Amino acid sequence: METRYAERLNRYVTAMRNEKPDMIPIRPFVAEFTGRYAGYNCQELAHDYEKAFDAARKCAADFDWDAVVANMVYVWTGLTQAIDLKYYCVPGIDIPAGTGFQYREPPQAEAFMRADEYDQLIEDPTGFLFNVWLPRASASVRPMGEPTSYENNLSFVKGGMAMMQYFGAFPAQIARLRAESGTVSAIAGILKAPLDIIADKMRGYLGLVEDLFERPEKVLAACEALAPHLLHVARSTADPEKNVPVGLWMHRGCVPFVSFKQFDKFYWPTLKPIIQELWAAGHQTLFYAEGDWNHHLKSFAELPDQSIIYHADRGDIFEVHKVLGEKFCLSGGIPNVLLGHRPADEVRECCKKVIDGVARDGGYIMDASAIVQNDAKVENIKAMTDFTREYGVYSSGSSAAPPSKTVSSESFMPTHGASTISPGVCIPWEQKRNDLPEIQGDEKLVKEIWENIDSLANTYIWQVLLSF
């Protein structure tokens, strides 16, 4: 299994570096499909992460894939219920047990951030999340100044312990994938664009659109304030070995959700430096371009060679290849509607067309266009897998992974727009020190432990925002 794992890791990394491996790696982003295959419904996958882990392992072993996400049904609804988050529909509670978890977006008038609160967000993003955003996003957390409650106190205890339990379970899952089927864990870390954060979790889409016209400079300043914090989360959760990429989930920053001018002013200038910083540190980013981002391919081409893997969903993967194929590895391009509703022969024909059109020189990873839910046919996923194994072999490919990217000290993040509190910090040591009596021992030790514990609270709120 270790030999198989090493071969697959080398194959996967070689393709991601836009080079030619021995064969095309197969890395399906399979979510509720794993439950359908393993005999679990959507409620079981979302509410019992051990069943979701089990289903991912079973699919990885039975289909013989090179890499999978350790759990693509990533939101553990037990944790969202512990925090009492309002924006989730939990399978088996709010929606039928056979339906995947859903997001609720509140009405514009009830958005989790108000139009006149940008300055608070800009001054201290972490403090804003704890003091303003979370009390609105959670049914249990009480706003600042209001009497606390038993439910309020329990939500932090249960939420924090549940998060540590859930994240603490991933190393064992990744180790089992490696030991039991020689499968690589496909991604590490999480990132979203600043503008997507405002649209997804703060102002809502309608609120964002209003703000882009009514208070554009506030939106830009907020994106600039959020960017260093989002970079911190991505960098601190990335693969320390720098083999697998940070996942960037791309939502509402493209045409037609925003205009070309808005993309150029708000979305791209505040995301691009984060990607450049990650690459300078040796980390690739997986651009999971949900929807159609083909209008913006020339902007993405501005990034350094090999710095990203570009995943095509509804965008034309052949056009993507024309613009980005010389610079970056591509993945996806097999439509989900085909996998769910057409015969297996059409799946094989599509795989051949994509391989012939974008993968002949390497730099391609086989995957569906979007995350595979429970409408995909087992025979069609098998057809995609088996055809790629048979047809996607390179006669002159390499079985050895290319060397790691050289780390650079160059900085890309703008210095303006910085908030008063540094990324990764809730209460700075300088502030805490003023509340303590005279320290009679080693102040450096006290400071180090305080900052380590304080960073856990920072991790908690930013992971609630980004991951759940």
Side-chain angles (χ1 to χ4, degrees):
M1 282 302 170
E2 274 301 300
T3 300
R4 181 181 296 183
Y5 177 84
E7 290 173 349
R8 287 174 167 168
L9 179 62
N10 289 343
R11 180 178 304 143
Y12 187 41
V13 172
T14 300
M16 289 193 294
R17 298 297 191 268
N18 205 30
E19 298 184 16
K20 186 184 290 186
D22 58 339
M23 62 180 70
I24 294 172
I26 305 172
R27 180 224 60 199
F29 274 35
V30 281
E32 285 81 6
F33 171 81
T34 64
R36 176 177 180 177
Y37 181 77
Y40 302 125
N41 64 23
C42 294
Q43 178 185 11
E44 292 175 291
L45 292 180
H47 220 59
D48 184 346
Y49 64 78
E50 289 293 352
K51 290 182 176 178
F53 285 177
D54 175 69
R57 292 196 304 271
K58 181 172 178 57
C59 282
D62 290 0
F63 286 94
D64 198 34
W65 292 324
D66 294 296
V68 295
V69 178
N71 180 18
M72 197 67 251
V73 188
Y74 188 70
V75 172
W76 177 31
T77 53
L79 188 152
T80 68
Q81 282 198 294
I83 305 172
D84 208 2
L85 294 174
K86 297 176 182 177
Y87 50 79
Y88 277 104
C89 289
V90 178
I93 299 176
D94 307 297
I95 52 178
T99 301
F101 69 86
Q102 303 288 310
Y103 287 88
R104 292 186 182 104
E105 184 159 314
Q108 187 175 352
E110 301 172 19
F112 301 137
M113 174 181 162
R114 309 291 190 248
D116 61 356
E117 293 174 337
Y118 273 98
D119 287 342
Q120 295 180 58
L121 172 65
I122 293 164
E123 181 181 6
D124 180 6
T126 302
F128 180 85
L129 291 176
F130 268 118
N131 296 331
V132 181
W133 177 79
L134 188 59
R136 292 177 183 153
S138 166
S140 292
V141 177
R142 305 270 48 86
M144 294 290 289
E146 287 192 9
T148 190
S149 68
Y150 188 41
E151 290 78 11
N152 174 92
N153 299 340
L154 283 176
S155 73
F156 287 101
V157 176
K158 292 191 297 183
M161 295 184 76
M163 187 177 290
M164 292 189 72
Q165 175 187 328
Y166 183 47
F167 284 167
F170 272 89
Q173 167 73 348
I174 292 168
R176 289 190 66 179
L177 284 167
R178 178 173 182 164
E180 295 176 10
S181 58
T183 309
V184 177
S185 180
I187 57 175
I190 189 166
L191 174 62
K192 292 181 184 176
L195 193 70
D196 275 338
I197 288 294
I198 296 173
D200 286 351
K201 292 284 185 71
M202 293 184 173
R203 293 288 290 132
Y205 175 64
L206 293 179
L208 171 69
V209 171
E210 176 185 284
D211 296 343
L212 289 173
F213 289 97
E214 298 292 332
R215 48 196 69 84
E217 297 312 315
K218 294 294 185 184
V219 175
L220 181 58
C223 288
E224 292 171 345
L226 286 167
H229 297 267
L230 298 173
L231 170 63
H232 173 79
V233 175
R235 197 156 45 192
S236 62
T237 56
D239 175 15
E241 300 297 322
K242 302 178 182 179
N243 287 319
V244 302
V246 174
L248 167 67
W249 308 99
M250 302 163 68
H251 294 154
R252 289 159 157 176
C254 64
V255 172
F257 292 106
V258 299
S259 70
F260 287 104
K261 289 183 178 179
Q262 290 164 342
F263 175 90
D264 291 337
K265 180 176 180 179
F266 302 98
Y267 188 89
W268 190 231
T270 55
L271 173 62
K272 181 181 177 181
I274 300 176
I275 308 304
Q276 292 172 305
E277 289 279 348
L278 289 172
W279 183 236
H283 299 291
Q284 287 184 295
T285 304
L286 170 63
F287 272 44
Y288 203 84
E290 296 181 278
D292 183 354
W293 291 75
N294 275 35
H295 293 298
H296 308 294
L297 296 178
K298 290 182 180 178
S299 293
F300 303 148
E302 298 168 1
L303 293 167
D305 290 4
Q306 301 184 351
S307 59
I308 69 169
I309 300 97
Y310 187 88
H311 182 89
D313 176 14
R314 292 184 176 274
D316 183 341
I317 194 168
F318 304 104
E319 180 63 26
V320 173
H321 183 254
K322 288 178 185 177
V323 181
L324 301 181
E326 291 294 320
K327 294 176 68 74
F328 310 124
C329 171
L330 309 181
S331 66
I334 310 302
N336 292 60
V337 68
L338 192 68
L339 295 170
H341 304 284
R342 302 302 299 167
D345 284 346
E346 291 188 25
V347 174
R348 285 186 279 267
E349 289 171 12
C350 181
C351 290
K352 183 179 187 302
K353 183 179 179 182
V354 169
I355 291 172
D356 288 343
V358 308
R360 303 311 295 177
D361 297 321
Y364 174 73
I365 298 167
M366 177 55 70
D367 195 357
S369 291
I371 294 170
V372 182
Q373 300 182 356
N374 57 348
D375 59 339
K377 297 179 182 178
V378 172
E379 59 268 30
N380 284 357
I381 297 295
K382 191 173 189 304
M384 179 180 75
T385 302
D386 293 347
F387 181 84
T388 304
R389 278 285 182 255
E390 297 163 6
Y391 191 69
V393 177
Y394 297 109
S395 59
S396 59
S398 171
S399 59
S404 299
K405 196 267 184 184
T406 302
V407 175
S408 167
S409 60
E410 187 175 1
S411 177
F412 298 92
M413 296 297 290
T415 56
H416 64 276
S419 62
T420 58
I421 307 297
S422 299
V425 176
C426 294
I427 299 176
W429 165 251
E430 293 74 19
Q431 179 179 336
K432 179 62 180 177
R433 178 67 185 84
N434 292 332
D435 296 334
L436 297 176
E438 181 180 354
I439 296 176
Q440 301 182 43
D442 185 349
E443 181 171 332
K444 182 179 178 182
L445 176 61
V446 178
K447 177 177 182 288
E448 178 184 347
I449 299 304
W450 165 261
E451 290 180 337
N452 287 343
I453 299 302
D454 182 77
S455 70
L456 294 179
N458 186 277
T459 296
Y460 174 78
I461 194 63
W462 285 94
Q463 287 294 342
V464 172
L465 180 74
L466 282 163
S467 292
F468 306 102

